[in-house]
Amino acid sequence: MTSQFSALLRQLRRQAQLTQDDLAARTGLSVRTIRRLESGDRANPQLDTVRLLADALGLQPRERARVLAVADGRLPVEPDPEPEAEPETQPETQPQPEPQPEPPPVVAVAPESALERRLAEAADDLAHAVGARLGREEELRRVQDPFPLPVRWQAAPEAVMDHWENICRVSPGESATALDLAGSLAEIAEVYRRVPSGRLVVLGRGGSGKSVLAARFVLDVVRARERGAAVPVVFGLGSWDPTTTGFRDWLAGQLLRDHPGLAATGGDGTTLAAALVEAGRVLPVLDGFDELAAGLHRPAIDALNATTLPLLLTSRPGEYAAVAGAAALTAAAAVRLTDLTVTDVADYLPRTARKDGGATAWDPVLAELRAHPERPACRDLRAVLTTPLMVGLARGTYSGPAGGDPAVLLDRDRFDSQHALEEHLLGSFIPSAYRDPDSRWDAEQARGWLGYLAQHLDRLGTHDLAWWQLGGALRKRTRMAVVGALAGLVVGLVGGSLVGLADLLLGGDGWIVLLTGPGLGLSIGLAAGLAHGAGLKLGGGAFEPARVQLRARGGGRRLRARFGRRLLVGVIGGVGLGVVLGLAAGAGLEPMGLTGFGFAGGFATGAGLGALAGLGWGLVAGFEAAVDVRSAVGPADLLRTSRTIVLVEFLVLGLVLGLARLLIITVALGRLELVSLPLDLVLGPVIGLVLGLSISAWGQWVVFARVWLPLTGRLPWSVAAFLDDACRRGVLRQVGAVHQFRHARLQSHLMRG
């Protein structure tokens, strides 16, 4: 950035009577970026950044063209010709035109930097992925079938909003008038653009359409955005703990979870996700302020107020008003969703139901609501059908081919209150969703499994159903015991069978299997359980889904970040294995085939193999490279990727361990033990796979979601297929790499049983 351009930007900002904070808020850039642009520290302004600055400064076409010409490296635009001087004979009383100030000098600058181009490309790829995912989600939710339910809003009470002067970003001493913020679903992006601060809060009671509105906002903004502009992304606030994680760090982490391609380096050693957030290229759409854990609402507001990032936030009125009275979201306007009317419902529900002689089952019910609004049954049903959630549940229960008669909703003997009607609709949703005679799962079974998932999420304190956390609600000791038992069973059966077979082929009686099988199972089981516990304690990539690809050349940053902890996990597991092998050797048993060396030999063998396993697992991190940014990873995609990574990494690692053990035995005994060949070359990869099951996300999926939880009846045997089917039936929704219940009220209802 030349000093001339820096001076020009600074001059234009001062002419507009804006501070650097004001300009940052209007553009969505960080104050640090504005400061660097004006000081000349940032040498190559991106064209889209310059356009944002021009818009925020309110430049006239001629000024705007000149500034863009400078940023684009073209010659400055010639100024308009000055008006000719008036003839001297003109009367002196004729007002003379005021002299125009000379335009500031401008010169061409270098094109945008490689980093800025990369950020622009990453933002465009992110926009594509976000738009594609939300478009599919809108189809699954049948939002457009046959047309979207009306979602309207009005300005919220002044008590929950900041001063209009702050919202409108006027200069000190100036006043501002209230903005017209009323609108409907198709106008959400336009209404947001009316707010100079770029901060809008959407309030609405449960089921009023806040999430649908947030998705529509993202889709509308994505479709109209220019290259490199900020990308609106929906973030579920329920997973944020503002007391432990900064807002920008949390945003970057959520982006990495759902878009693993953003893990690539974006400059200064940071990820692309962090670089996009820092550069103001992500517009956070924060859904579910009310879903934050108790006691975190005020810290969350304080953290948001510490930034000037534009954002859109949704919340139930009560939770937001409880903190907004003392500390409203700085510079944020607020709107409140209004209820659906009987006319809205009458226009919608009949068009979702089958026709019978030109009429539908909904017609007499709706006619009754209009004709007798004072009757208690009509009053309760009218109150229930004021939210899109309840209207959607009513549609799902009574509008389908096998739906019942909705007239039952007016039966006062069955439903004596609004609450009873709502509970009926919530309780009828699962049977209605699974009443398909060709359904793979029975409605009662599905309800039990969904109830367990709801309780699982409640114990974890989140709304995000992640497949790699399905065993996370179990106690640590239970998890270690299950992992150890399964690992020991597999290795004991395979190892004992191989040793027994080898012994028979060499002329033995095969009874060695009675000693080898249990010994191997106990040894590996204990090692796997300890490795699992170490992984829970130390992390290092354990139990995190693989969001990478294996390439010949990976990333040194990932190697540095994970090598030490992965090595330590292997050492701890190896110590456990060594203790068991040593005790077995001391008792005269040699489950790993190293005879004559007692406890020291067994312990050294186990500890050495564990350390080698940790070393190999740590080094593999250097071959893990980020995937493409455009690959919007869903739960199934992430599961397949994780499975491939674990199988490749740990099977190869197991083979290396087997060969290493064969070498140890050969050197220690001075001869090659033929009986060890099948044990090492076949059982080695099996042991490696068992270790992978013990300390990987995919392993936890197999152990708990595919074995333990189905075995105990808490989940079906085909969990992945069940979750996908629940999405198609409208029970769950896919949010990036995780699932969520379609509605928080449905989750609460299922959790209560």
Side-chain angles (χ1 to χ4, degrees):
M1 172 68 67
T2 63
S3 59
Q4 291 89 345
F5 190 87
S6 301
L8 171 60
L9 177 60
R10 189 164 52 250
Q11 179 180 352
L12 291 173
R13 175 180 60 78
R14 290 173 177 172
Q15 287 177 356
Q17 297 183 341
L18 297 175
T19 65
Q20 290 181 339
D21 287 344
D22 295 335
L23 186 56
R26 287 192 177 189
T27 58
L29 302 174
S30 66
V31 178
R32 178 185 176 189
T33 299
I34 299 297
R35 190 177 300 116
R36 291 173 62 190
L37 287 168
E38 292 193 358
S39 65
D41 291 340
R42 186 167 180 171
N44 299 308
Q46 185 186 357
L47 292 182
D48 291 302
T49 301
V50 178
R51 290 191 184 98
L52 288 175
L53 292 167
D55 291 340
L57 293 169
L59 299 183
Q60 296 301 315
R62 184 168 65 90
E63 294 174 317
R64 181 185 181 91
R66 291 178 62 85
V67 173
L68 289 174
V70 170
D72 198 25
R74 295 180 279 113
L75 292 177
V77 176
E78 292 295 330
D80 294 336
E82 296 292 336
E84 296 182 2
E86 296 293 333
E88 295 182 0
T89 57
Q90 185 173 354
E92 294 182 0
T93 57
Q94 181 71 22
Q96 300 295 323
E98 296 183 2
Q100 298 296 319
E102 288 292 330
V106 292
V107 295
V109 296
E112 60 185 357
S113 67
L115 173 59
E116 288 174 327
R117 285 196 301 272
R118 191 174 187 192
L119 289 180
E121 292 171 357
D124 293 343
D125 289 342
L126 177 61
H128 171 82
V130 167
R133 182 182 67 78
L134 285 181
R136 291 192 298 269
E137 177 65 21
E138 194 174 70
E139 292 176 358
L140 284 174
R141 300 187 74 166
R142 303 174 68 182
V143 172
Q144 304 290 340
D145 178 21
F147 59 88
L149 270 166
V151 178
R152 294 181 288 263
W153 60 84
Q154 298 175 345
E158 296 280 346
V160 299
M161 280 195 279
D162 198 3
H163 302 282
W164 282 110
E165 288 74 15
N166 294 337
I167 297 170
C168 295
R169 295 297 192 187
V170 300
S171 300
E174 296 183 0
S175 60
T177 58
L179 301 173
D180 179 13
L181 299 178
S184 58
L185 184 63
E187 303 171 302
I188 179 59
E190 176 186 345
V191 169
Y192 174 82
R193 283 191 286 266
R194 296 176 195 167
V195 182
S197 66
R199 291 187 154 202
L200 180 65
V201 176
V202 178
L203 303 175
R205 57 196 180 103
S208 60
K210 299 185 295 295
S211 296
V212 171
L213 185 69
R216 173 46 46 189
F217 170 77
V218 171
L219 287 171
D220 289 348
V221 173
V222 163
R223 288 167 184 167
R225 69 182 287 276
E226 296 181 357
R227 177 185 180 275
V231 182
V233 182
V234 177
F235 298 91
L237 267 181
S239 63
W240 181 33
D241 184 350
T243 62
T244 60
T245 309
F247 181 53
R248 293 175 186 268
D249 292 337
W250 176 74
L251 290 178
Q254 295 295 105
L255 285 174
L256 289 175
R257 185 196 71 178
D258 296 337
H259 305 277
L262 296 177
T265 303
D268 299 330
T270 62
T271 63
L272 275 176
L276 287 172
V277 172
E278 178 63 28
R281 292 181 184 269
V282 174
L283 172 56
V285 180
L286 308 175
D287 191 21
F289 177 80
D290 52 284
E291 295 174 1
L292 285 166
L296 296 182
H297 295 96
R298 180 58 185 272
I301 287 290
D302 292 340
L304 294 176
N305 285 343
T307 75
T308 57
L309 283 176
L311 55 86
L312 185 145
L313 181 145
T314 73
S315 177
R316 296 189 186 189
E319 287 81 353
Y320 185 76
V323 294
L329 185 59
T330 301
V335 297
R336 182 162 185 169
L337 302 184
T338 57
D339 291 341
L340 297 175
T341 66
V342 173
T343 300
D344 294 330
V345 177
D347 289 341
Y348 182 78
L349 283 177
R351 291 174 61 175
T352 67
R354 64 195 184 281
K355 293 189 293 184
D356 184 9
T360 72
W362 283 107
D363 292 333
V365 176
L366 296 169
E368 183 75 7
L369 293 182
R370 284 171 162 167
H372 304 287
E374 75 287 349
R375 291 180 178 175
C378 293
R379 185 179 63 246
D380 289 342
L381 185 55
R382 285 169 64 103
V384 167
L385 297 180
T386 55
T387 65
L389 169 60
M390 289 299 161
V391 174
L393 293 177
R395 170 188 177 168
T397 303
Y398 295 105
S399 289
D405 186 355
V408 71
L409 298 174
L410 294 173
D411 187 347
R412 188 68 176 174
D413 293 332
R414 291 188 58 183
F415 310 114
D416 58 358
S417 66
Q418 177 182 339
H419 176 74
L421 278 170
E422 292 177 345
E423 288 298 304
H424 165 69
L425 291 175
L426 287 167
S428 300
F429 179 65
I430 299 302
S432 300
Y434 286 88
R435 64 187 170 199
D436 181 2
D438 297 327
S439 174
R440 182 177 176 181
W441 293 282
D442 177 77
E444 192 63 30
Q445 287 180 317
R447 197 186 192 288
W449 295 329
L450 291 167
Y452 171 76
L453 292 175
Q455 295 169 3
H456 162 79
L457 293 179
D458 182 65
R459 286 192 289 268
L460 293 183
T462 181
H463 290 271
D464 294 339
L465 179 58
W467 57 260
W468 60 92
Q469 294 178 343
L470 281 175
L474 300 175
R475 292 183 300 177
K476 181 178 178 180
R477 284 178 295 179
T478 301
R479 293 181 62 176
M480 293 175 63
V482 171
V483 168
L486 183 60
L489 180 63
V490 170
V491 174
L493 289 175
V494 175
S497 300
L498 289 173
V499 172
L501 178 61
D503 186 52
L504 288 174
L505 293 176
L506 294 175
D509 54 13
W511 288 105
I512 191 174
V513 69
L514 297 179
L515 299 176
T516 304
L520 276 173
L522 181 61
S523 303
I524 300 301
L526 179 59
L530 288 174
H532 182 81
L536 291 174
K537 184 69 174 178
L538 301 173
F543 317 125
E544 296 178 8
R547 298 180 174 89
V548 297
Q549 295 174 334
L550 290 178
R551 296 177 181 172
R553 296 176 62 87
R557 183 175 61 86
R558 188 180 297 272
L559 176 64
R560 291 190 297 271
R562 297 190 171 186
F563 175 78
R565 287 180 291 178
R566 287 186 174 188
L567 175 61
L568 188 56
V569 168
V571 169
I572 292 176
V575 168
L577 176 62
V579 169
V580 174
L581 292 180
L583 292 176
L589 304 175
E590 303 290 349
M592 298 296 284
L594 184 60
T595 59
F597 291 89
F599 178 86
F603 180 82
T605 300
L609 291 176
L612 183 59
L615 176 64
W617 187 38
L619 290 175
V620 166
F623 297 93
E624 297 174 351
V627 298
D628 182 72
V629 179
R630 277 180 173 258
S631 56
V633 176
D637 303 313
L638 197 56
L639 180 59
R640 285 191 294 269
T641 301
S642 297
R643 178 181 60 205
T644 301
I645 294 294
V646 171
L647 289 177
V648 172
E649 289 186 355
F650 285 93
L651 285 177
V652 172
L653 180 61
L655 182 60
V656 172
L657 289 177
L659 293 175
R661 179 187 169 279
L662 181 62
L663 179 62
I664 292 173
I665 293 178
T666 301
V667 172
L669 301 180
R671 66 182 184 278
L672 177 63
E673 289 286 334
L674 295 179
V675 73
S676 296
L677 283 175
L679 187 67
D680 295 322
L681 298 181
V682 179
L683 188 59
V686 174
I687 293 176
L689 181 59
V690 165
L691 291 176
L693 294 177
S694 305
I695 54 178
S696 70
W698 177 73
Q700 301 319 289
W701 162 262
V702 172
V703 171
F704 296 106
R706 298 288 286 151
V707 177
W708 180 250
L709 294 177
L711 190 65
T712 56
R714 284 173 276 190
L715 286 179
W717 289 102
S718 301
V719 180
F722 176 72
L723 296 179
D724 289 342
D725 183 70
C727 283
R728 288 191 293 271
R729 297 177 186 274
V731 180
L732 301 177
R733 63 182 176 185
Q734 179 184 317
V735 182
V738 300
H739 290 98
Q740 291 179 347
F741 278 93
R742 185 76 69 183
H743 304 288
R745 289 196 62 184
L746 177 62
Q747 178 182 334
S748 299
H749 177 82
L750 291 169
M751 185 178 63
R752 296 193 300 268

